């Protein structure tokens, strides 16, 4: 066999294959075992360990967790310890923080029964629960290919080969990927999952829904001065440093061990190619009402992740022969509530119930249409339907008017069960919203001080990101000429600004600009896959185990 000849993959057979050990995938695995302990279940996870790639705020609505593990509060090992005690909303101007009265907030925005914590640690705990039930979990293996049978039904997934050099040759460490075959396969890859994208396109799952919408969420975890810590306090804000036409907002969550999670979300339908979400996040921390929280503190962690924001209108068909989409792969985030964990878990459990019933009936590799037909009437569908117009209103009318109208719409949906606006449509896909650079002026962001504000590279260092350097670049540029003539010449190279990890650079050389991809820096946020103005960059999984290694995000 030559050095580049590919041996056949070995295979393993299961009842159910689950791609992704996030909250939806683990909830599905646990629920399947609760329904039938004899089922063989495997979960494959591209992160080096469960939780390594998990990032969320996170204030967690416990409704789904109550249904999955009713006694979780009595479990000393469960990482959710801090209940929300104080819930505040602010409108920020450059110098003031104007608190919005609580009585104006729709009831569904109330967070007082929710818990603050690390979603990564919660997933680690759920993984222990799953393994105790007999679920097999394989971290460090990226699912890179969908397997199909002769009829075109999904038959499982294949993990990526290990030990492939950048030039495509096989290194001495080369190991062929595995085929994990299942009677049904659940895809729980999170926002903008690479295999989920292929399935949506291949099966036409998006024919009856609107274009997906996304935001980018950036987060830091700080250990703060105990005198400045308010355990159980959460606060959200709109406004500065973003202008009225740029959607987004912030959060500060005070929880265990004098820690504060601070985050910033920018909706990816912004139009200014000079805007940098990372720099706006750093600017936000300098606000007079914010910076004092971090004085005397220490930044412990950093990360970033794309967030699904399309909501009810953008959810594709969830089922296809042999499998289904669950969690953020389907787009179940409730944008105004800034929550998706409860819906991710709920969708995983709902899918598991329909898969278990199909297996009990002796079925395999057909379409679980019952899951598709049931989700809108489930708690997940009801949650998203009430807020379906908030994102379109925000996008159409700007932050000030859009937030006000969105609040009114949530009130009428909650009190009377109807909307004055019906069901609004989203506008263009996020990649089509950038203006040419000539329509805007460059933004002069302040230099980081290294104490409160930071640069990208020192931030990426805190994410513990690591990739094997000698491997194929996992950020695929379809047409490098188009990248130069359009992304650079027309839009002034926004990739160097929308990327929160310093992956992309335009380097001016004697023969013109050169597009450099620093793939080792990638934190797998997938913003480039969403925001490139030509859809010219595609994110695919790198060698398994690569990427960030978040400890408690």
């Amino acid at each position: 066999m030559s050095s580049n000849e590919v041996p056949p993959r070995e295979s393993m057979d299961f009842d159910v294959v689950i791609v992704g050990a996030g909250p939806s995938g683990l909830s599905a695995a646990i629920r399947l075992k609760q329904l039938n302990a004899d089922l063989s279940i495997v979960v494959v996870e591209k992160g080096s360990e469960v939780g390594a790639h998990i990032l969320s705020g996170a204030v967690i609505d416990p409704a789904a967790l109550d249904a999955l593990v009713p006694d979780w509060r009595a479990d000393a090992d469960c990482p959710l310890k801090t209940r929300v005690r104080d819930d505040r909303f602010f409108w920020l101007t450059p110098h003031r923080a104007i608190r919005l009265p609580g009585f104006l907030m729709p009831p569904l925005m109330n967070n007082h029964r929710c818990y603050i914590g690390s979603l990564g640690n919660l997933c680690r705990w759920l993984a222990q629960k799953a393994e105790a039930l007999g679920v097999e979990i394989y971290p460090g293996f990226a699912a890179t290919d969908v397997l199909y049978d002769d009829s075109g039904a999904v038959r499982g997934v294949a993990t990526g080969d290990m030990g492939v050099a950048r030039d495509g040759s096989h290194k001495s460490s080369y190991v062929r990927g595995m085929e994990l075959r299942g009677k049904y396969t659940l895809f729980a890859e999170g926002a903008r999952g690479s295999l989920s994208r292929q399935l949506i396109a291949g099966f036409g799952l998006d024919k009856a829904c609107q274009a997906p919408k996304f935001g980018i969420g950036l987060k830091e975890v700080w250990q703060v001065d105990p005198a400045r810590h308010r355990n159980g306090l959460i606060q959200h804000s709109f406004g500065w440093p973003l202008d009225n036409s740029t959607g987004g907002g912030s959060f500060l969550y005070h929880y265990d061990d004098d820690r504060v999670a601070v985050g910033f979300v920018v909706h990816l339908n912004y139009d200014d190619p000079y805007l940098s979400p990372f720099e706006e996040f750093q600017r936000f921390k300098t606000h007079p009402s914010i910076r004092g929280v971090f004085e005397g503190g220490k930044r412990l962690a950093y990360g970033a992740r794309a967030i699904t924001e399309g909501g009810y209108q953008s959810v594709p068909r969830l089922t296809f022969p042999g499998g289904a989409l669950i969690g953020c792969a389907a787009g179940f985030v409730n944008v105004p509530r800034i929550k998706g964990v409860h819906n991710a878990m709920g969708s995983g459990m709902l899918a598991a119930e329909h898969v278990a019933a199909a297996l009990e009936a002796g079925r395999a590799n057909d379409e679980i249409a019952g899951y598709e037909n049931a989700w809108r009437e489930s708690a997940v569908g009801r949650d998203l339907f009430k807020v379906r117009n908030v994102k379109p209103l925000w996008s159409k009318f700007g932050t000030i008017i859009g937030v006000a109208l969105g609040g009114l719409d949530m009130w009428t949906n909650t009190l009377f069960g109807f909307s004055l606006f019906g069901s609004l449509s989203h506008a263009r896909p996020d990649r089509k919203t950038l203006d040419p650079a000539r329509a805007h002026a460059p933004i002069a962001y302040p230099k980081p001080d290294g104490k409160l504000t930071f640069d990208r590279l020192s931030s990426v260092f805190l994410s513990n990101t690591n990739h094997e350097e000698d491997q194929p670049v996992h950020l695929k540029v379809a047409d490098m000429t188009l990248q130069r003539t359009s992304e650079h010449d027309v839009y002034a190279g926004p990739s160097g600004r929308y990327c929160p990890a310093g992956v992309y650079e335009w380097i001016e050389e004697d023969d013109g600009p050169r597009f450099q991809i620093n793939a080792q820096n990638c934190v797998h946020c997938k913003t480039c896959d969403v925001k490139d103005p030509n859809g010219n960059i595609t994110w695919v999984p790198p060698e398994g185990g690569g990427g960030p290694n978040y400890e408690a995000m």
Side-chain angles (χ1 to χ4, degrees):
M1 182 180 292
S2 69
S3 61
N4 272 9
E5 188 174 343
V6 178
R9 294 187 179 108
E10 295 183 10
S11 64
M12 300 174 67
D13 291 300
F14 300 89
D15 289 312
V16 183
V17 175
I18 299 174
V19 182
S24 63
L26 292 169
S27 296
I30 291 170
R31 190 72 182 119
L32 282 163
K33 279 292 192 177
Q34 289 172 339
L35 293 168
N36 185 345
D38 294 329
L39 294 177
S40 58
I41 315 295
V42 65
V43 180
V44 61
E45 164 58 41
K46 66 183 176 65
S48 61
E49 64 172 358
V50 173
H53 289 179
I54 297 293
L55 184 148
S56 182
V59 169
I60 297 173
D61 181 335
L65 187 57
D66 287 339
L68 184 68
V69 188
D71 62 348
W72 66 270
R73 292 175 181 82
D75 188 334
D77 294 328
C78 182
L80 288 186
K81 305 294 186 185
T82 304
R83 187 164 181 166
V84 174
R85 294 180 174 85
D86 193 359
D87 191 358
R88 304 177 184 182
F89 286 83
F90 293 91
W91 174 263
L92 298 187
T93 70
H95 305 291
R96 295 183 60 200
I98 303 169
R99 186 172 179 180
L100 304 181
F103 68 84
L104 292 178
M105 298 296 155
L108 59 87
M109 297 291 287
N110 190 305
N111 289 295
H112 281 268
R113 62 188 180 86
C114 298
Y115 286 78
I116 311 168
S118 160
L119 181 58
N121 285 344
L122 180 64
C123 287
R124 291 179 175 95
W125 177 78
L126 287 172
Q128 293 172 4
K129 295 290 185 184
E131 288 180 321
L133 293 170
V135 175
E136 296 183 45
I137 301 178
Y138 297 150
F141 293 91
T144 58
D145 296 284
V146 180
L147 303 177
Y148 301 91
D149 64 18
D150 292 340
S151 69
V154 171
R155 187 69 178 84
V157 296
T159 63
D161 296 352
M162 310 281 277
V164 179
R166 180 162 296 200
D167 64 3
S169 64
H170 295 170
K171 298 183 284 189
S172 60
S173 59
Y174 176 79
V175 177
R176 186 75 163 121
M178 287 281 296
E179 289 189 357
L180 303 174
R181 300 174 179 172
K183 296 174 182 176
Y184 295 102
T185 306
L186 300 179
F187 292 84
E189 297 179 286
R192 205 65 171 180
S194 57
L195 298 186
S196 302
R197 284 189 64 194
Q198 295 176 32
L199 292 163
I200 290 169
F203 286 106
L205 303 179
D206 57 352
K207 289 180 179 178
C209 70
Q210 294 177 26
K213 304 292 288 182
F214 296 90
I216 178 173
L218 305 105
K219 176 184 175 181
E220 295 174 351
V221 176
W222 285 68
Q223 189 98 37
V224 302
D225 182 341
R228 301 177 185 276
H229 188 260
R230 302 289 182 268
N231 201 43
L233 168 65
I234 68 171
Q235 64 183 63
H236 298 95
S237 74
F238 304 105
W240 190 90
L242 302 177
D243 61 29
N244 186 57
S245 64
T246 305
S250 76
F251 62 82
L252 268 77
Y253 302 153
H254 295 240
Y255 62 114
D256 317 341
D257 302 323
D258 296 324
R259 295 192 177 191
V260 173
V262 55
F264 199 76
V265 175
V266 177
H267 300 177
L268 287 177
N269 60 356
Y270 65 83
D271 59 13
D272 186 347
Y274 291 110
L275 184 139
S276 165
F278 177 88
E279 301 292 353
E280 297 293 346
F281 176 32
Q282 300 305 311
R283 272 213 303 171
F284 159 74
K285 291 185 293 179
T286 68
H287 192 273
S289 69
I290 303 299
R291 64 180 307 136
V293 174
F294 304 107
E295 289 181 3
K298 179 182 179 181
R299 190 174 68 145
L300 302 177
Y302 165 81
R305 189 69 173 89
I307 304 167
T308 58
E309 293 189 341
Y312 194 86
Q313 297 93 318
S314 295
V315 176
R317 183 173 180 83
L318 302 178
T319 58
F320 42 86
L325 306 177
I326 60 177
C328 285
F332 286 136
V333 171
N334 184 316
V335 173
R337 293 190 71 196
I338 321 177
K339 290 178 182 61
V341 176
H342 63 301
N343 286 338
M345 295 179 68
S347 69
M349 288 187 284
L350 183 65
E353 289 161 5
H354 286 273
V355 168
L359 292 169
E360 180 69 21
R363 295 162 52 192
N365 303 106
D366 60 354
E367 184 165 357
I368 309 295
Y371 168 52
E372 164 63 24
N373 296 332
W375 81 265
R376 290 176 181 81
E377 300 303 320
S378 73
V380 176
R382 294 193 301 270
D383 186 64
L384 293 183
F385 189 73
K386 293 177 182 178
V387 301
R388 65 194 182 280
N389 291 324
V390 174
K391 171 72 174 180
L393 288 167
W394 201 337
S395 300
K396 183 174 183 179
F397 293 104
T399 302
I400 297 175
I401 296 175
V403 167
L405 291 176
L408 173 64
D409 192 62
M410 284 189 283
W411 269 111
T412 61
N413 271 283
T414 301
L415 295 178
F416 309 113
F418 77 94
S419 169
L420 296 172
F421 305 99
S423 292
L424 298 175
S425 299
H426 293 302
R428 300 165 290 172
D430 295 327
R431 68 179 178 86
K432 294 186 177 181
T433 62
L434 280 180
D435 295 331
R438 65 176 181 272
H440 297 268
I443 301 173
Y445 289 107
K447 293 183 178 180
D449 61 16
K451 297 179 180 179
L452 177 64
T453 59
F454 303 89
D455 62 18
R456 283 175 172 81
L457 294 185
S458 66
S459 299
V460 172
F461 177 80
L462 283 183
S463 72
N464 300 308
T465 294
N466 183 57
H467 295 89
E468 174 62 46
E469 290 194 24
D470 186 18
Q471 67 171 296
V473 174
H474 65 282
L475 303 153
K476 306 296 184 182
V477 180
D479 185 339
M480 196 60 78
T481 299
L482 177 63
Q483 203 67 12
R484 177 171 172 172
T485 58
S486 179
E487 203 261 350
H488 177 274
D489 294 352
V490 176
Y491 298 100
S495 57
R497 292 178 285 275
Y498 63 59
C499 175
V503 170
Y504 301 105
E505 294 181 273
W506 281 102
I507 298 176
E508 298 296 332
E509 298 181 332
D510 292 341
D511 58 349
R514 175 172 62 85
F515 194 47
Q516 178 162 306
I517 301 176
N518 305 307
Q520 296 91 338
N521 291 357
C522 180
V523 294
H524 298 197
C525 76
K526 305 180 186 175
T527 302
C528 55
D529 201 306
V530 174
K531 194 58 178 174
D532 181 83
N534 302 294
N536 200 33
I537 300 176
T538 301
W539 186 98
V540 300
E543 189 171 289
N549 285 278
Y550 299 134
E551 294 181 1
M553 296 286 274

